[in-house]
Amino acid sequence: MTVTATRHSDRANQRRVAAATLVGTTVEWYDFFIYATMAGLVFSRLFFEPAGESIGLLLAFASVGISFLFRPLGAFLAGHYGDKVGRRAILVVTLVLMGGATTLIGLLPTYESAGVIAPVLLILLRILQGVSAGGEWGGAALMAVEHAPAGRRGLAGSMPQLGVPLGLLLATAVTALMTGVISPGEQFLEWGWRVPFIASIVLIAVGYFVRIAVDESPVFQEIAAKKEQASVPIVELFRNYWHLVVIAALIFVGNNAVGYMSTGGFIPAYATSDAVGLSRTDVLVAMTFAATVWLFSTLGAGILSDRIGRRLTYQIGYVWLILTVWPLFLLIDSGSLVNLYLGLGLICIGTGLTYGPQASLYSELFPASIRFSGVSISYAIGAILGGAFAPMIAQALLDATGGTPAIAVYLIGMCAVALAAVSLTRNRSGIDLSISNQAEQEVGSTVFDKRPVPAPSRTPDGAVGPEVPTPR
């Protein structure tokens, strides 16, 4: 009965952790995507109007990208304190920071009423969003993965990943409701755009109470009990594991670049431009459909990675993206709403396959003592290299060439880089993630590491993890 009760307690705790990471990341990314959506739809007119329509749109997309430059700062801070004081506290701080910045954006004056101070304040708040996003993902990923049994880390790690498409789904659905029902036409420009930002304060309150109710990661509890926190985790990370940071960051660039074609606002802006001619609300509803496909493909990819491994799941996903990026733009250029749905659905299958296993893959790459720093900084750098300025680059390519083929070539190139990077890793599904197994965690992550891997140790739930082949 004691064993049964313990198992039920463990499962209940895992469900609480899954809910906390899912709700929290959904709220964080709702905030993030609301900004990206509005940048493509109205910010060029509200905050950058004197620059003209074309340059104003470029500046609006640049304001989306500038927050990515500050993600490493958030990742450095969250990684340092997450490896020293714990995962849970950092998750609460990042949630409140993101929500506060988002709510204030909804209260900003526009350029018409305040002049140049309006875009300056907008960019400052966007920077705070970037700092928050840089610290958020690593903590959520580790809380999910480190609480999970070895054979279900892919599924557990997909929970914080699901927060991204859910955040996009919620953001586009709310925006579509505002543009199509509550504040159509000029009303949306006058006041309707503010409502999704201000409403964030309610979501933040929900996320806060869910997150403070979960236990700290068992891996960090063990690290704290043994007093084995790294004194300066970031220094140790870059001294001994810089190559893992580079590889992990490059793994993310393809997914992030393709994903931000839609979530960064370029596709909504392009599809509603004169070149394609679709209505704003129709495109936003199509984006809601795309987020739904992304949601289910992300969950499926997490489950699949528990069966066939993280690396193979990624490889399948990147090949899929390479094959579907070109058709995506052909379908959009047709001007057909049905074709827009088809193109977005196809591409979102690939984005899910290359996003669902990310939390588990990253967690299994890095040793326990510097894991928070490793996953957070790799994610932040990958986001800068991949998605930060992808919408702006796409707009510049469109302006320079007059068509979308150059954009497709750019995205295919990013996916090819990511495919090569993930192929350099070894599958480590099931490796014991605890601090007591750090010796095994320190070797064998990549095909370049020829050091012998220690014999497989027992996972925290008592099972023997799958043996990692010794490099030959």
Side-chain angles (χ1 to χ4, degrees):
M1 289 180 65
T2 303
V3 172
T4 302
T6 300
R7 287 177 177 170
H8 282 306
S9 176
D10 288 344
R11 289 172 186 161
N13 185 57
Q14 288 163 21
R15 286 194 293 269
R16 286 196 301 272
V17 171
T21 56
L22 179 60
V23 171
T25 52
T26 298
V27 173
E28 283 257 354
W29 288 103
Y30 164 82
D31 291 345
F32 209 76
F33 289 141
I34 277 292
Y35 187 99
T37 302
M38 296 302 177
L41 294 178
V42 297
F43 279 0
S44 61
R45 291 177 60 183
L46 294 175
F47 292 96
F48 305 103
E49 186 172 13
E53 183 177 353
S54 180
I55 300 300
L57 192 57
L58 279 175
L59 291 173
F61 285 147
S63 74
V64 173
I66 197 170
S67 71
F68 286 77
L69 299 180
F70 289 85
R71 280 195 186 187
L73 174 59
F76 274 72
L77 292 172
H80 176 79
Y81 290 105
D83 281 327
K84 289 182 71 67
V85 304
R87 300 10 178 166
R88 186 177 66 171
I90 299 303
L91 286 179
V92 174
V93 170
T94 56
L95 183 71
V96 173
L97 180 62
M98 175 70 86
T102 302
T103 302
L104 289 174
I105 289 174
L107 300 174
L108 283 180
T110 63
Y111 188 93
E112 183 180 8
S113 60
V116 73
I117 191 66
V120 170
L121 291 173
L122 178 72
I123 290 171
L124 287 175
L125 290 173
R126 182 60 176 169
I127 288 171
L128 287 181
Q129 285 190 320
V131 172
S132 173
E136 158 68 19
W137 183 83
L142 293 190
M143 284 290 283
V145 173
E146 290 179 345
H147 271 283
R152 293 170 63 85
R153 285 189 200 132
L155 173 60
S158 69
M159 291 298 108
Q161 307 302 88
L162 292 178
V164 182
L166 277 174
L168 174 60
L169 181 65
L170 186 58
T172 53
V174 169
T175 308
L177 182 65
M178 295 305 299
T179 61
V181 179
I182 298 176
S183 58
E186 288 301 309
Q187 293 182 65
F188 185 69
L189 280 170
E190 291 172 6
W191 60 269
W193 69 272
R194 298 180 181 274
V195 175
F197 288 99
I198 298 172
S200 173
I201 196 168
V202 178
L203 300 176
I204 294 300
V206 173
Y208 173 81
F209 287 110
V210 170
R211 281 196 165 172
I212 62 173
V214 300
D215 297 334
E216 178 58 90
S217 156
V219 172
F220 184 79
Q221 290 180 39
E222 182 184 7
I223 291 173
K226 294 184 177 182
K227 300 185 184 302
E228 296 192 29
Q229 296 100 320
S231 57
V232 188
I234 294 171
V235 172
E236 183 179 339
L237 175 71
F238 282 103
R239 179 188 296 142
N240 299 319
Y241 305 102
W242 63 269
H243 61 292
L244 288 183
V245 172
V246 172
I247 290 173
L250 292 177
I251 289 170
F252 192 29
V253 296
N255 171 279
N256 212 234
V258 174
Y260 268 87
M261 284 300 96
S262 53
T263 61
F266 175 78
I267 285 180
Y270 178 65
T272 56
S273 69
D274 292 339
V276 179
L278 295 173
S279 78
R280 181 186 295 164
T281 301
D282 283 345
V283 171
L284 286 169
V285 174
M287 295 303 305
T288 304
F289 163 78
T292 305
V293 175
W294 187 12
L295 171 70
F296 285 105
S297 62
T298 298
L299 177 61
I303 296 170
L304 182 64
S305 75
D306 280 330
R307 297 177 180 271
I308 67 173
R310 324 299 180 212
R311 182 175 67 174
L312 181 55
T313 304
Y314 259 103
Q315 288 170 328
I316 293 170
Y318 274 126
V319 170
W320 181 279
L321 285 177
I322 289 169
L323 294 175
T324 53
V325 162
W326 193 281
L328 167 67
F329 287 101
L330 292 177
L331 290 166
I332 294 173
D333 285 338
S334 71
S336 164
L337 184 61
V338 172
N339 284 346
L340 176 65
Y341 274 82
L342 177 59
L344 290 173
L346 286 172
I347 209 72
C348 284
I349 292 173
T351 53
L353 286 169
T354 53
Y355 198 58
Q358 186 168 14
S360 51
L361 173 74
Y362 274 27
S363 298
E364 290 163 351
L365 278 179
F366 292 95
S369 63
I370 47 86
R371 187 173 293 138
F372 200 138
S373 297
V375 300
S376 296
I377 292 170
S378 299
Y379 188 92
I381 294 173
I384 291 175
L385 298 176
F389 297 102
M392 190 179 73
I393 291 170
Q395 186 66 42
L397 289 172
L398 181 66
D399 292 342
T401 65
T404 56
I407 301 173
V409 171
Y410 156 62
L411 294 177
I412 289 170
M414 298 294 278
C415 290
V417 168
L419 176 61
V422 79
S423 299
L424 298 178
T425 65
R426 284 197 173 91
N427 185 52
R428 287 154 68 90
S429 302
I431 189 173
D432 180 359
L433 297 179
S434 69
I435 190 67
S436 59
N437 193 48
Q438 176 123 340
E440 181 182 355
Q441 298 161 15
E442 290 174 348
V443 299
S445 292
T446 71
V447 296
F448 300 119
D449 193 341
K450 304 299 183 182
R451 293 173 293 175
V453 179
S457 58
R458 291 190 174 275
T459 58
D461 61 355
V464 176
E467 185 174 358
V468 181
T470 300
R472 299 183 184 278

